[in-house]
Amino acid sequence: MSRKTWFSIRMRSAVSGVHISGAEGIYDKNVISNIVKEYTQRALIHDRGTADEIRLTIEELKEKPKHISSLPLYTLNTRNPETAKKAALEILTSVGITERAIEEAFKALDIGFTMRGAMLMNIEGVRLEPDLLRGIRVTRMGITDEAAKDLASKLGRLGLNNNTVKEALILASKVHKFRMVLGEICISDDPKYTTGYVATRAHGYIRLPRIKKRGVPYGGRAFFITGGEVKDLIKYLQRTPVLIRTVKPCIGTLKLKDILEHKASR
Ligand code: PML
C-alpha cells in the first residue's frame, strides 16, 4: 500500500511591503488547487486591504505529520488592556514564568512593529531567538478533515467559527506540544482584532478580549521557554509537520479564578 502524500501550503500577503494576511495548512494532494484558490481569495479580499503581493508555498512533506490534540479553548471576559494583562500575568506566573519576563514580552509587543515570527524568551525575559528582528515563524501545521468539522461545530456554538481563531488555536496546539515551551502570549497585529490569548499546557488556550485598543496596527507572539536545546525547539517549530486529529473542548466565557483552579488535562 502506498504511503499518503501530504503537502504544506502556506500563504503570506502584503500591501506595499506591509504584511496583511497569512494562512497555512497541511493538505492532501487532491485539494491543492482548491486551497490555492481559497488562500488567494483571502489575500485579495482582506479587510486590511487588497494584497499587491501574494506569496504561496506548496511543498510536499517528506516526513509523516505527527497527530496531536488541540489545546482546550476558553474565553475570559477581560474588559480592557489592563485587566487582560493582569489575567495574562496571573496565568503565566502560575506556571513559573517570572513577572519580569511577562513585562518584557508586553513591552516588546508594544514597540510599534510586528516581527515576522515569534520571540523566544527564557523565564527571566532574556531573548533566545537567533534573529531578534525576524523571530521564529511556526510552520507546517494543520488539522484533519474530521477534526476540522468537529472544531467548526464546537467553535460555531460559541460564535467563534472563523479562520483567525481556528488558525491561532492550531498554531498554539503545535507549539505547546513541545515540552520546552511553558507559556505563550499573542496579540493580533490586525488593527480591528482586539482579542489576544495566552496559552499553557496546563491551562489550555485562553482568549483575552480587549487586550489591545482598536486601531493598533501591530502585535506578535512570545513563547516562554525553559531547559533543553533551543535549536531542537526551533527545528520542531519550523519543520516538524503536525496535524490536529482530536479536538479538546471549546468552552464559553469563564472567570479567571476558574481558569486558575481548573488546569486542563492533556
Ligand atoms: C493572529 O493574528 O494570528 C492572532 C490571532 C489571535 C486570535 C485570538 C482569538 O480570538 O482566539
Side-chain angles (χ1 to χ4, degrees):
M1 202 171 74
S2 67
R3 193 170 69 87
K4 187 173 169 78
T5 314
W6 293 99
F7 282 78
S8 161
I9 309 183
R10 309 190 284 278
M11 179 278 284
R12 278 183 79 77
S13 74
V15 179
S16 309
V18 177
H19 167 81
I20 50 165
S21 71
E24 88 156 87
I26 292 177
Y27 300 99
D28 187 87
K29 191 173 170 184
N30 298 334
V31 300
I32 293 177
S33 52
N34 295 346
I35 299 299
V36 166
K37 189 167 167 207
E38 184 192 318
Y39 283 3
T40 311
Q41 297 279 61
R42 239 209 259 185
L44 291 173
I45 58 165
H46 200 276
D47 62 6
R48 292 175 77 183
T50 300
D52 58 19
E53 184 187 333
I54 304 171
R55 285 176 189 259
L56 277 160
T57 307
I58 304 166
E59 174 197 55
E60 184 183 322
L61 295 173
K62 302 296 176 215
E63 202 182 323
K64 192 171 164 223
K66 281 187 200 315
H67 285 139
I68 65 164
S69 52
S70 62
L71 289 169
L73 173 144
Y74 310 93
T75 302
L76 280 180
N77 187 16
T78 45
R79 298 191 179 278
N80 51 45
E82 291 70 38
T83 50
K85 183 172 171 187
K86 187 169 171 291
L89 271 161
E90 289 205 37
I91 293 163
L92 295 172
T93 52
S94 81
V95 293
I97 300 161
T98 64
E99 251 185 76
R100 189 166 79 189
I102 302 158
E103 290 290 353
E104 281 301 319
F106 270 102
K107 233 191 285 167
L109 292 173
D110 199 26
I111 207 158
F113 84 103
T114 306
M115 287 162 54
R116 200 180 156 91
M119 292 178 263
L120 299 184
M121 267 188 187
N122 72 10
I123 56 169
E124 304 295 335
V126 177
R127 298 274 294 275
L128 299 173
E129 72 273 19
D131 184 333
L132 297 180
L133 285 178
R134 287 172 79 84
I136 301 297
R137 186 164 169 220
V138 185
T139 68
R140 295 171 177 79
M141 62 264 169
I143 184 163
T144 63
D145 288 348
E146 218 169 295
K149 278 191 207 125
D150 190 16
L151 181 61
S153 138
K154 286 180 167 137
L155 289 176
R157 281 180 225 135
L158 306 173
L160 293 175
N161 184 24
N162 61 67
N163 290 327
T164 307
V165 176
K166 285 193 276 200
E167 287 169 7
L169 177 65
I170 292 168
L171 185 151
S173 302
K174 172 175 179 178
V175 170
H176 291 271
K177 205 68 199 168
F178 204 87
R179 293 270 146 190
M180 271 175 81
V181 182
L182 276 186
E184 172 185 3
I185 171 133
C186 169
I187 300 178
S188 172
D189 62 356
D190 183 336
K192 291 194 185 139
Y193 202 89
T194 58
T195 301
Y197 69 87
V198 289
T200 77
R201 230 177 343 272
H203 300 94
Y205 174 103
I206 300 154
R207 306 180 63 248
L208 301 172
R210 294 168 284 271
I211 196 167
K212 74 170 188 183
K213 295 226 157 72
R214 231 177 138 75
V216 175
Y218 46 80
R221 283 185 166 82
F223 303 144
F224 300 99
I225 64 176
T226 184
E229 286 286 341
V230 174
K231 69 173 182 351
D232 293 342
L233 169 65
I234 293 176
K235 187 167 164 227
Y236 168 79
L237 296 175
Q238 294 184 326
R239 304 220 57 94
T240 303
V242 156
L243 268 178
I244 308 281
R245 192 169 59 175
T246 314
V247 177
K248 289 279 170 104
C250 299
I251 312 281
T253 309
L254 282 185
K255 291 200 163 43
L256 178 59
K257 104 175 164 6
D258 300 324
I259 301 276
L260 292 170
E261 276 167 14
H262 172 83
K263 288 192 177 172
S265 57
R266 293 198 79 213

